[in-house]
Amino acid sequence: MPNVRTTSLSRRGLLAAGGAVGLGAVLAACGDGDSDATKESSGSAKSGPWTFKDDRGLTAKAGSTPKNIVAFIGVAAALHDYGIECKGVFGPTKTADGKADVQAGDLDISKVEVLGNVWGEFNVEKYTGLAPELLVTAMWEKDALWYVPDESKDKILKLAPSVALWAAQTTVPKAIQRHEDLAASLGADIKATKITEAKTRFEAAAARLRAAAKSQPNIKVMVGSASQDLFYVSLAKTSADTLYFQELGVQFVEPKVNAAGFFEELSWENVDKYEADIIMMDNRSSALQPDALTSKPTWARLPAVKAGQVVPRTTEPIYSYDKCAPILEDLAEAIEKAKKVS
């Protein structure tokens, strides 16, 4: 949310610009393991017509399994972990120095066509040139396609079938399952050793985090994101990752959120409003990182900062077992080692 007015952006744009933890209240358990796609997925691409029912409730259709796939960068990274490669991507792919953004995961960004790297940027001409057979993106609000500009959406959606998967109004395991459903429909071998081992690791990490939270019930975690002028404290239950951490027993600071209901904006003078033992900081390139906050005296005086109990938060997880397991492990370790400082 750096350098933007909250009244001048849609809620989706607000989240993309940094600051907000997630959009949409937890109203429905969307994309669970009993979906039509789960029942139809066989783990290998089938000859003949292809269909997939997405989290909008819409069914994407093609005469054969799509090969020329274009996806939001985080979704493309998840599909890559399942062995499904995308031809083009959009969303935060490269940092200012040309390196892969954190949201690119293990993707070799030199091998994909980047259609847009920032909010509102999507090169329709390049997209057309890729002869797309499928467009895939995330969904933070119902029916809103993440990083697909509203002004060119109609033109984009005419060129290929589209799939949208929840990134909010869900939990990490459900989101992973939906990405796995899609990958399986596209030909992924979801029984491959690499994938089953990653799932085993994820389940062990979840058990470890649950145990850590139980052993340290007094440790309070604050979910934060920083801009030059404001510090945002997010409500845990409004995002897939922190909602899941809550379900595992992690205790979070509960801010007095604004009218939108997702986070509270604090001036840097008031950044000490809430007591916390651990601070999880938004790791996206759109947010200021802790090493950029050393000049702010109020930040330096926070007990969690003084105790060295500030950890990165993967605000937009890559929904594969391989990428989510380390997130759980890292938080479990932080809680296991944390001292009560608030």
Side-chain angles (χ1 to χ4, degrees):
M1 194 171 302
N3 303 318
V4 297
R5 293 175 60 88
T6 58
T7 56
S8 66
L9 286 176
S10 69
R11 291 194 296 171
R12 288 191 299 135
L14 195 62
L15 173 59
V21 48
L23 292 179
V26 182
L27 301 174
C30 299
D32 62 21
D34 294 327
S35 67
D36 292 342
T38 304
K39 296 172 184 177
E40 296 171 2
S41 298
S42 64
S44 61
K46 296 178 180 179
S47 59
W50 172 88
T51 64
F52 185 85
K53 188 175 182 180
D54 77 355
D55 291 348
R56 294 172 295 180
L58 301 180
T59 299
K61 299 178 181 179
S64 60
T65 302
K67 299 297 182 186
N68 286 358
I69 304 167
V70 174
F72 171 69
I73 184 65
V75 177
L79 290 175
H80 171 81
D81 286 349
Y82 285 100
I84 303 299
E85 302 301 336
C86 293
K87 199 169 183 180
V89 298
F90 54 95
T93 304
K94 297 179 181 180
T95 58
D97 58 5
K99 296 180 180 179
D101 189 274
V102 65
Q103 294 189 62
D106 292 335
L107 275 180
D108 183 344
I109 62 172
S110 69
K111 294 182 178 180
V112 292
E113 184 74 53
V114 181
L115 305 180
N117 198 61
V118 297
W119 182 258
E121 186 177 86
F122 191 111
N123 191 313
V124 180
E125 185 176 352
K126 283 186 178 181
Y127 179 59
T128 304
L130 292 175
E133 297 172 339
L134 179 65
L135 177 77
V136 191
T137 191
M139 184 169 63
W140 288 84
E141 295 177 286
K142 186 72 167 91
D143 299 329
L145 303 182
W146 195 227
Y147 272 81
V148 177
D150 289 337
E151 57 270 22
S152 54
K153 180 180 67 174
D154 292 344
K155 185 182 296 185
I156 292 167
L157 294 181
K158 287 179 181 178
L159 296 172
S162 63
V163 164
L165 300 177
W166 274 118
Q169 302 191 27
T170 187
T171 62
V172 171
K174 291 175 182 177
I176 292 175
Q177 182 62 60
R178 291 297 285 146
H179 285 71
E180 185 173 284
D181 291 344
L182 177 60
S185 80
L186 295 170
D189 179 6
I190 60 174
K191 295 182 180 179
T193 300
K194 178 182 177 181
I195 294 172
T196 57
E197 287 181 347
K199 183 176 183 179
T200 298
R201 179 183 175 187
F202 175 86
E203 291 170 345
R208 179 182 174 185
L209 180 54
R210 187 187 297 276
K214 186 176 182 179
S215 69
Q216 293 261 55
N218 295 321
I219 294 297
K220 186 83 77 166
V221 180
M222 181 162 64
V223 183
S225 186
S227 72
Q228 190 60 44
D229 299 320
L230 295 171
F231 184 78
Y232 305 89
V233 182
S234 294
L235 189 62
K237 69 179 183 179
T238 58
S239 191
D241 61 330
T242 45
L243 172 61
Y244 183 51
F245 302 156
Q246 272 191 323
E247 291 180 351
L248 293 175
V250 178
Q251 302 298 311
F252 285 96
V253 166
E254 294 192 7
K256 294 181 179 179
V257 296
N258 61 19
F262 309 108
F263 58 88
E264 179 180 1
E265 306 99 326
L266 298 177
S267 67
W268 283 104
E269 290 76 16
N270 295 315
V271 74
D272 61 352
K273 179 176 179 178
Y274 297 104
E275 296 184 342
D277 305 294
I278 295 173
I279 303 175
M280 297 179 68
M281 290 293 289
D282 186 348
N283 74 337
R284 294 176 298 177
S285 55
S286 57
L288 292 182
Q289 300 306 302
D291 59 3
L293 302 177
T294 55
S295 63
K296 297 186 180 296
T298 50
W299 167 259
R301 290 197 295 267
L302 293 177
V305 176
K306 292 168 68 175
Q309 294 177 176
V310 178
V311 298
R313 180 207 173 201
T314 304
T315 305
E316 293 187 54
I318 294 168
Y319 288 115
S320 69
Y321 290 113
D322 182 71
K323 294 299 179 292
C324 288
I327 295 173
L328 300 182
E329 292 167 346
D330 291 347
L331 182 55
E333 182 177 8
I335 293 174
E336 289 164 355
K337 294 180 176 180
K339 296 179 180 178
K340 183 67 180 175
V341 294
S342 64

